Amino acid sequence: MKKWGERKRDYANILAVWPVYEPASGNWYLHELYEDDDLPPKWRSRQIEGPAGNPRADGYRTREEAFVARDSLNEQYRQTLALRNVPEVQKRSLQLKVEKALTAKTRLMDEELLMLVAAKGRNADLTVDTSNISFAGNPRYVDDEMEALKSELKNQLIEMPYLKAALVSLGNFYRYVTFKIEDNIWSEPRYADKRWALKVWRARVSDGFDLDFREHWGRTKAAIREILLPDATKVLLRADVKKMLDQALVQGEHVLVSGGFVFWYEPDDDIGWQVKVTSSESSDEGRTIWHEGKIISKNYGRIVVLPYIKESGEGVNGHTKNVAHDGPAMPRQKKNYREIPFKEVKSDLMIGLFGEIYRKDLM
């Protein structure tokens, strides 16, 4: 194995970092946005020099440590880029690319947090008896290990009683997957590799909506947005949201994006404000949103594909559409086509609202 400093990648210009949770180990690892010659910046797993001079992953035991490292390093990289001796146009272009790449990561993180909050909220009245949980078969663990695994599973079920799949551990580097067979009976915990650990980790969200955690994650999240749409529409009745939207209209803003939802003003037929959902085409895989782009709406579809930037750097305008099972969206008359810029508002707006939306006074 090559030592640190003996590889080309060790000398790449790093523009930013972002923490990524690895369910298989329970650790957080930084990924880095780096320059690759004349190609657009790309994300990759970050490596640093280890104690023996060998490259190693830049990992952290806790979320807090990882995000502190993110903030510190990103400030360093921001200052380094600001001082770089390159033409101002090139420098500003790189700064915008960094900003947009970090915004895409933030949007994904916030959207999945919102979905977890909603999954827990939708099942807030569900309870489960954790007093006599057992594992099926003849588990290969000693008594103390069995009790530790059961205890961890119980704690998760108290917080998320809807779970049908879970990751448990013995406090070491490894994670084990177990599946619900019937009430209080779970499958023997088996070692989970990175792929399976990530899928089961996502069950914390998908199980809350009775969706299969093994399905494609982007399609699962698109289905969750559809499920949440009626609840999201309820926020239009809130006084604070009405005030925000009234102010947006005064400023000429007709499209506000928050996480996976869109506040959309429809002037035709006095419809007024609606809530639509974003499409997986523009957000699920972390595409960089193109803020200079517009949404060109030629129909009354309830899905909004936000403008985004291709890997080549080409900007693609957004549009509206229906999901496949709805059939084609009702077309607008040509005179009613709309070309609308959009504004993003903090995703924690919707996270906070969904944290409250299951209270009785909002039903």
Side-chain angles (χ1 to χ4, degrees):
M1 175 183 288
K2 291 185 177 181
K3 295 285 187 178
W4 180 262
E6 296 178 349
R7 306 172 305 168
K8 178 183 176 182
R9 68 167 285 162
D10 301 335
Y11 299 95
N13 287 322
I14 308 303
L15 300 170
V17 296
W18 187 263
V20 176
Y21 181 67
E22 183 184 272
S25 64
N27 290 330
W28 289 81
Y29 292 94
L30 290 186
H31 286 198
E32 60 189 15
L33 184 69
Y34 72 103
E35 288 184 85
D36 187 10
D37 297 323
D38 294 328
L39 299 174
K42 296 180 181 179
W43 289 102
R44 68 183 179 192
S45 297
R46 175 176 170 82
Q47 293 185 352
I48 59 176
E49 184 177 4
N54 295 322
R56 68 168 179 85
D58 191 4
Y60 301 84
R61 288 297 301 162
T62 68
R63 184 185 192 279
E64 290 73 20
E65 291 174 319
F67 276 79
V68 166
R70 176 202 68 174
D71 293 342
S72 175
L73 286 167
N74 281 348
E75 178 59 22
Q76 292 179 35
Y77 293 135
R78 185 192 67 78
Q79 293 180 16
T80 299
L81 180 55
L83 296 173
R84 189 183 295 184
N85 186 23
V86 296
E88 200 60 33
V89 172
Q90 180 183 345
K91 183 186 298 184
R92 184 55 184 155
S93 174
L94 279 173
Q95 289 170 333
L96 286 172
K97 288 176 181 177
V98 171
E99 178 185 339
K100 291 173 181 178
L102 291 174
T103 298
K105 293 291 188 184
T106 302
R107 291 183 77 251
L108 280 176
M109 178 183 69
D110 288 349
E111 181 181 57
E112 292 180 8
L113 176 57
L114 181 150
M115 291 180 175
L116 178 60
V117 167
K120 293 178 179 180
R122 287 166 59 87
N123 296 276
D125 295 332
L126 183 64
T127 58
V128 60
D129 179 11
T130 61
S131 61
N132 58 347
I133 286 178
S134 63
F135 294 117
N138 185 24
R140 61 195 73 184
Y141 309 99
V142 299
D143 290 346
D144 287 349
E145 291 175 334
M146 286 295 296
E147 290 307 311
L149 293 171
K150 287 180 183 179
S151 177
E152 187 165 341
L153 179 57
K154 287 178 183 179
N155 290 337
Q156 292 185 48
L157 290 174
I158 290 171
E159 181 183 359
M160 297 170 285
Y162 54 84
L163 282 180
K164 300 171 187 172
L167 287 175
V168 292
S169 75
L170 294 170
N172 53 22
F173 189 78
Y174 301 106
R175 295 295 182 272
Y176 306 91
V177 60
T178 180
F179 304 97
K180 184 177 180 179
I181 298 174
E182 55 185 271
D183 287 348
N184 279 334
I185 300 179
W186 288 69
S187 66
E188 177 185 348
R190 296 293 183 95
Y191 168 74
D193 60 17
K194 287 185 178 181
R195 174 175 169 272
W196 266 102
L198 179 58
K199 283 182 174 291
V200 174
W201 178 251
R202 289 170 172 169
R204 299 157 65 248
V205 173
S206 57
D207 281 354
F209 297 89
D210 290 324
L211 297 172
D212 191 337
F213 70 87
R214 294 167 295 187
E215 292 295 328
H216 181 274
W217 185 230
R219 287 192 289 271
T220 295
K221 291 206 293 184
I224 291 173
R225 291 191 203 102
E226 286 286 299
I227 293 170
L228 290 178
L229 186 56
D231 288 337
T233 301
K234 294 176 186 175
V235 306
L236 293 175
L237 303 176
R238 290 180 54 113
D240 52 349
V241 175
K242 286 182 179 180
K243 181 179 179 181
M244 177 188 73
L245 297 178
D246 287 344
Q247 290 174 343
L249 278 184
V250 170
Q251 296 167 3
E253 296 164 352
H254 286 195
V255 177
L256 303 179
V257 179
S258 181
F261 295 94
V262 179
F263 295 100
W264 178 283
Y265 185 75
E266 191 62 64
D268 297 342
D269 300 319
D270 296 321
I271 292 173
W273 285 102
Q274 302 172 299
V275 178
K276 297 177 183 283
V277 294
T278 58
S279 167
S280 58
E281 290 180 35
S282 61
S283 64
D284 279 342
E285 302 307 324
R287 286 179 176 174
T288 300
I289 301 301
W290 181 33
H291 287 88
E292 290 73 29
K294 295 182 178 180
I295 300 166
I296 302 175
S297 178
K298 298 181 180 181
N299 56 56
Y300 292 92
R302 55 196 183 93
I303 306 296
V304 180
V305 179
L306 297 175
Y308 65 92
I309 299 174
K310 292 183 176 180
E311 286 291 324
S312 63
E314 177 188 356
V316 179
N317 279 314
H319 60 276
T320 52
K321 66 174 187 174
N322 270 0
V323 290
H325 60 74
D326 282 346
M330 185 174 73
R332 297 178 185 270
Q333 294 182 7
K334 194 165 186 177
K335 64 179 181 179
N336 291 329
Y337 285 1
R338 305 189 67 196
E339 292 191 16
I340 322 168
F342 69 99
K343 176 183 176 181
E344 284 201 276
V345 295
K346 288 185 177 181
S347 295
D348 56 11
L349 165 71
M350 292 301 288
I351 294 171
L353 291 172
F354 269 85
E356 300 177 358
I357 205 168
Y358 298 97
R359 285 176 13 207
K360 291 182 180 178
D361 61 340
L362 289 180
M363 295 300 287

